[in-house]
């Protein structure tokens, strides 16, 4: 008795009537899915029609080990912080030196006041206080610029506050006809804009390693 071609997947169906169920070439209970992928075993992720499942990719470290890239706005704002910070540090040092120089000149050339030492001391004190304030402001900007690559969301908020104070101070200086304050005004506004953007927030809140 012939049972057909043994390589024919449907050949086993010829055995119906001889104690075998028609399984169309598959063991009983394991019927094909008619072109659809079979259900994966428990504990194995379901694959999608022949393509392996891939983890979600985020440029800001949406999954552990992702390589994050600093947004262009943060890079630009960081450069502006460096520029303002260095200029303010230099300006603070110059103001403190200038205060001492002016006080010495007043002590040497003033003949209208008997108490020239007191006036010179007052001038020196004013210049030193202003110089220290400007110097500290510049150090603040430099720290934020250095930490923009590895810092958290607190650095972003600090940069926005710094930009706001820089903008306010520049407006006050512009009222005094200080045209140089126009540069710091523009940079302060741009720092606020760049660090307040959504991609900047995603960068500083990322989960990827910080270096």
């Amino acid at each position: 008795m012939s049972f057909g071609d043994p390589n024919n997947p449907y050949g086993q169906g010829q055995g119906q009537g001889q104690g075998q169920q028609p399984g169309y070439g598959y063991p009983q209970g394991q019927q094909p899915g008619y072109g659809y992928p079979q259900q994966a075993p428990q504990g194995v992720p379901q694959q999608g029609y022949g393509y392996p499942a891939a983890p979600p990719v985020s440029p800001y470290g949406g999954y552990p080990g992702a390589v994050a890239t600093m947004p262009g706005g943060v890079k630009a704002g960081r450069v502006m912080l460096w520029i303002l910070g260095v200029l303010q540090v230099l300006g603070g040092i110059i103001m403190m030196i200038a205060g001492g120089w002016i006080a010495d000149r007043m002590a040497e050339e003033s003949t209208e006041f008997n108490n020239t030492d007191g006036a010179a001391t007052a001038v020196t004190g004013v210049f030193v206080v202003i110089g220290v304030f400007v110097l500290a402001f510049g150090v603040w900007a430099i720290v934020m610029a250095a930490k923009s690559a590895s810092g958290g969301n607190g650095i972003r908020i600090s940069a926005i506050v710094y930009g706001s104070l820089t903008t306010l101070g520049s407006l006050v200086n512009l009222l005094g006809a200080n045209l140089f304050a126009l540069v710091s005004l523009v940079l302060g506004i741009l720092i606020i804009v760049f660090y307040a953007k959504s991609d900047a927030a995603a960068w500083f809140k990322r989960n990827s390693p910080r270096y």
Side-chain angles (χ1 to χ4, degrees), residues 7 10 18 29 32 39 53 65 79 104-105 107 132 146 180-181 190:
N7 295 323
Y10 302 98
Q18 299 181 8
Q39 183 176 2
V79 172
D104 291 339
R105 297 293 295 177
V132 169
F180 292 101
L190 290 177

Side-chain angles (χ1 to χ4, degrees), residues 17-202:
Q18 299 181 8
Q20 297 182 359
Q21 297 295 329
Y24 296 100
Y26 293 89
Q28 186 175 0
Q30 298 184 8
Q31 298 298 328
Y34 297 100
Y36 295 95
Q38 300 295 319
Q39 183 176 2
Q42 186 176 2
V44 179
Q46 180 70 34
Q47 306 299 316
Y49 298 99
Y51 295 94
V57 178
S58 171
Y60 309 112
Y63 61 93
V67 179
T69 303
M70 183 185 295
V74 177
K75 291 180 180 179
R78 187 186 188 190
V79 172
M80 296 174 188
L81 286 172
W82 278 114
I83 293 174
L84 287 175
V86 172
L87 291 178
Q88 287 169 347
V89 168
L90 293 177
I93 295 174
I94 291 173
M95 289 189 70
M96 289 187 287
I97 296 175
W101 180 83
I102 293 174
D104 291 339
R105 297 293 295 177
M106 288 179 62
E108 293 175 359
E109 299 179 2
S110 178
T111 59
E112 299 180 2
F113 301 98
N114 294 327
N115 188 13
T116 55
D117 290 340
T121 301
V123 171
T124 301
V126 170
F127 272 82
V128 169
V129 169
I130 297 176
V132 169
F133 178 78
V134 175
L135 178 65
F137 218 63
V139 171
W140 181 18
I142 291 175
V143 170
M144 287 184 297
K147 288 291 186 179
S148 290
S150 59
N153 195 48
I155 296 297
R156 183 180 74 93
I157 296 174
S158 181
I160 294 174
V161 173
Y162 172 86
S164 302
L165 294 177
T166 300
T167 301
L168 180 60
S170 301
L171 289 174
V172 173
N173 289 329
L174 283 176
L175 294 177
N178 183 2
L179 297 181
F180 292 101
L182 184 61
V183 176
S184 60
L185 174 64
V186 174
L187 293 180
I189 294 175
L190 290 177
I191 289 172
I192 297 173
V193 172
F194 289 144
Y195 278 80
K197 293 175 64 177
S198 59
D199 57 352

